[in-house]
Amino acid sequence: MLIVDDEEDVFYSFQRFLEEFPLKAYNAKSGEEALKFLRSNAVDIVLMDIRMGGKNGLETLKEIRKLSPQQIVIIMTAYGTCQTAIEAMKLGAYDYILKPFNILELKSILTKAMEASKLTKEASKESPHSSFDRHGLQIIGNSPAMQKVYKLIGQVAPTNATVLIVGESGSGKELVARAIYQYSLRSNRPFIAINCAAIPENLLESELFGHERGSFTGAMAQRIGKFEQGDGGTVFLDEIGEMPITTQAKILRVLQEGEFCRLGSNEPIKTDVRIIAATNKDLAAAVAKREFRADLYYRLNVVKLTLPPLRERVEDIPALVEHFLAKHRRYLPNAASRVSQDALKHLMAYHWPGNIRELENVIQRAMVLATSATIQSCHLPEEIRLYEKKKDSKKTSSVEHFSKELNALIEETVAAERKENRVENLKTLFYSIYNHVLEECGGDEAKAKEILGFHPSSVDAIK
């Protein structure tokens, strides 16, 4: 550890303090001296005062970041202000502590900094690998579920078949649509994506089919719609389940006849487009409720491609994390480039209601918050860090509730058997219940006994 402070007493105090740490202390009395030392020596941690003669701590920190972007630097000062703390962290300090030091806090910070330094070294030994392509369209994942998706994409892409992509929000439906387009025979023609849920109902038809001048208030000039612009190419209708019924009828005509009319005109226009649609809704259920046209549903559902949610392909999370780290480091060059094993464990245990989109946001947030080259558990949102504990707590609560209900039933049955003087049946009854619970627990005797709770009535039943 390099201690950068112009007061010699600080260095000697730290020498004694560090005796319980596997760290050797070196001293620099100025920012210039520190930079000279770091140019020829590798250190795990730099502990640096802000106020010094010559270059101050923040100016030196800027130079250290240029010299070694992943260097762990802890800033210390006796003059703590909000502005100074924010500036230090913005410049890439690992942490910020105030003089006089709280010994327990200082020990905690140094312990974490040593772990961060160790992880940084491990990361630097690994060969850099990025799964990010220049278009940002590569689909990531090698799980069995995704292999089925890739296979279907390969089968349907070279055809002109209409495809319906079904999946939860954030699961990557547009990426799949673009992959189908890129591998199709129309890849040299336009790909036009339209989010049916994002465009107001009164503007959606104009967006899709275009309009003539004066066809409605505000239509000052003729407009060419997406189906006309996309002639020969592919039109992707995202969130088609949100499309109004009136517009659905006109989409059906495009699919059946290959033609449409601009708003304000009765002149049919021919178009040759391939339609790929996507939804996070159950369209069959929407048809049953008369919220979606049955004839359009059957026209769209020529080839149905179902995307698995992220919670059903957790083995793909490490590759996705690596992909997002590489993607966002293009804009955050000094940000974290690795995720610790403990943090990855939390990421793989979480249920991801927002799917891949949520994972990307979490990684981007953690890269901003991480003060070293490695994202650790503390950089993840609380709901992810505590998810397993909450899940276990719910399981325990469920077991306790079931146990109470089951034992109440046993008490009631035992009382009835005794009242009728059929005590000889109790042992058979108990074992019948126990065997049933044992079967439900997959043969786990400890779990079965936990559910039964060794209630006195149950023990009496054996006796």
Side-chain angles (χ1 to χ4, degrees):
M1 183 165 79
L2 178 65
I3 299 166
V4 189
D5 198 301
D6 54 7
E7 296 180 23
E8 287 190 9
D9 289 347
V10 172
F11 175 65
Y12 292 126
S13 296
F14 267 104
Q15 271 190 316
R16 292 194 298 272
F17 175 75
L18 292 172
E19 287 176 357
E20 59 181 281
F21 286 87
L23 287 169
K24 184 176 181 180
Y26 295 89
N27 185 217
K29 295 179 182 178
S30 67
E32 291 85 353
E33 192 176 327
L35 290 167
K36 182 179 178 181
F37 183 90
L38 290 171
R39 286 189 183 102
S40 55
N41 298 277
V43 301
D44 294 295
I45 300 167
V46 175
L47 183 65
M48 181 166 58
D49 195 16
I50 281 186
R51 294 202 174 187
M52 299 179 293
K55 282 184 183 290
N56 65 32
L58 294 181
E59 290 171 340
T60 307
L61 177 58
K62 288 180 184 178
E63 295 299 319
I64 291 174
R65 297 246 68 81
K66 293 177 185 176
L67 189 65
S68 177
Q70 297 182 346
Q71 177 67 61
I72 304 293
V73 181
I74 300 171
I75 292 294
M76 54 182 176
T77 184
Y79 308 94
T81 66
C82 175
Q83 183 180 354
T84 305
I86 291 173
E87 185 67 19
M89 300 308 286
K90 188 175 79 172
L91 290 172
Y94 176 78
D95 215 325
Y96 178 92
I97 54 175
L98 297 175
K99 299 176 180 177
F101 305 122
N102 178 310
I103 297 300
L104 291 177
E105 181 186 6
L106 183 57
K107 284 183 177 179
S108 174
I109 289 173
L110 284 178
T111 301
K112 290 177 181 176
M114 287 168 60
E115 177 63 19
S117 178
K118 178 184 174 184
L119 292 168
T120 300
K121 286 179 181 178
E122 291 174 1
S124 64
K125 291 177 184 176
E126 297 171 0
S127 56
H129 173 73
S130 170
S131 56
F132 178 72
D133 69 350
R134 64 188 180 91
H135 300 293
L137 300 176
Q138 187 174 349
I139 306 172
I140 304 299
N142 290 310
S143 61
M146 289 307 295
Q147 292 297 334
K148 291 180 182 177
V149 171
Y150 301 152
K151 183 178 179 181
L152 194 51
I153 289 173
Q155 289 174 312
V156 74
T159 73
N160 279 319
T162 304
V163 182
L164 177 62
I165 305 170
V166 178
E168 295 179 6
S169 291
S171 57
K173 297 187 290 294
E174 184 168 346
L175 280 180
V176 170
R178 288 183 180 274
I180 293 171
Y181 158 73
Q182 287 175 344
Y183 286 98
S184 74
L185 301 176
R186 297 172 180 257
S187 59
N188 60 339
R189 302 294 296 160
F191 176 89
I192 297 177
I194 303 153
N195 188 328
C196 301
I199 303 172
E201 182 177 344
N202 60 333
L203 296 178
L204 183 58
E205 287 192 21
S206 172
E207 190 73 19
L208 292 170
F209 308 114
H211 61 253
E212 298 292 345
R213 180 180 177 182
S215 57
F216 56 86
T217 304
M220 306 301 293
Q222 185 188 72
R223 178 188 175 95
I224 303 299
K226 300 299 186 187
F227 279 113
E228 202 167 344
Q229 294 173 31
D231 187 36
T234 302
V235 173
F236 173 54
L237 301 174
D238 197 9
E239 303 300 349
I240 197 168
E242 306 300 326
M243 182 178 284
I245 290 285
T246 51
T247 309
Q248 290 176 28
K250 296 183 178 181
I251 295 291
L252 182 65
R253 186 182 176 191
V254 174
L255 282 165
Q256 288 178 331
E257 310 296 336
E259 65 178 29
F260 62 92
C261 295
R262 295 194 195 112
L263 293 181
S265 170
N266 293 319
E267 187 70 30
I269 298 172
K270 286 288 183 180
T271 186
D272 172 26
V273 295
R274 180 187 193 176
I275 291 181
I276 301 175
T279 182
N280 60 7
K281 294 179 71 173
D282 183 345
L283 290 188
V287 168
K289 294 177 184 177
R290 298 183 182 277
E291 295 173 354
F292 199 86
R293 290 182 64 111
D295 46 7
L296 177 58
Y297 171 64
Y298 295 122
R299 279 282 180 177
L300 292 172
N301 197 24
V302 176
V303 178
K304 184 177 181 180
L305 194 156
T306 303
L307 266 181
L310 187 54
R311 62 183 171 275
E312 292 181 8
R313 43 179 292 221
V314 292
E315 59 267 56
D316 289 333
I317 288 177
L320 285 163
V321 168
E322 184 183 355
H323 169 74
F324 293 134
L325 286 170
K327 174 181 176 181
H328 292 294
R329 273 181 65 82
R330 297 173 73 209
Y331 312 103
L332 302 166
N334 295 325
S337 59
R338 189 173 184 271
V339 173
S340 71
Q341 286 301 310
D342 187 53
L344 187 60
K345 181 181 175 184
H346 286 299
L347 293 173
M348 293 184 73
Y350 188 55
H351 67 307
W352 298 110
N355 291 293
I356 298 169
R357 187 181 295 125
E358 183 184 7
L359 175 62
E360 179 173 7
N361 291 342
V362 166
I363 295 301
Q364 188 176 11
R365 171 189 183 273
M367 289 177 74
V368 172
L369 297 181
T371 51
S372 72
T374 302
I375 293 170
Q376 300 183 58
S377 299
C378 59
H379 303 131
L380 301 178
E382 186 176 315
E383 64 268 21
I384 294 177
R385 296 197 313 270
L386 302 180
Y387 178 71
E388 288 177 281
K389 290 182 180 178
K390 289 181 179 178
K391 190 168 66 172
D392 290 342
S393 175
K394 286 180 181 178
K395 282 183 182 178
T396 302
S397 174
S398 176
V399 166
E400 288 174 353
H401 179 70
F402 180 47
S403 177
K404 287 178 183 178
E405 287 192 341
L406 184 58
N407 280 291
L409 179 62
I410 291 173
E411 277 190 52
E412 185 181 335
T413 307
V414 167
E417 291 290 310
R418 282 183 172 148
K419 188 175 181 181
E420 297 295 327
N421 199 27
R422 293 198 295 266
V423 180
E424 69 279 359
N425 294 338
L426 294 179
K427 188 172 182 179
T428 303
L429 169 67
F430 178 84
Y431 274 109
S432 175
I433 293 171
Y434 178 77
N435 288 332
H436 175 72
V437 173
L438 186 63
E439 186 179 343
E440 290 294 315
C441 295
D444 188 338
E445 292 190 4
K447 191 173 181 182
K449 288 175 181 176
E450 178 191 355
I451 291 173
L452 288 169
F454 281 116
H455 194 282
S457 299
S458 305
V459 177
D460 287 344
I462 298 176
K463 294 176 181 178

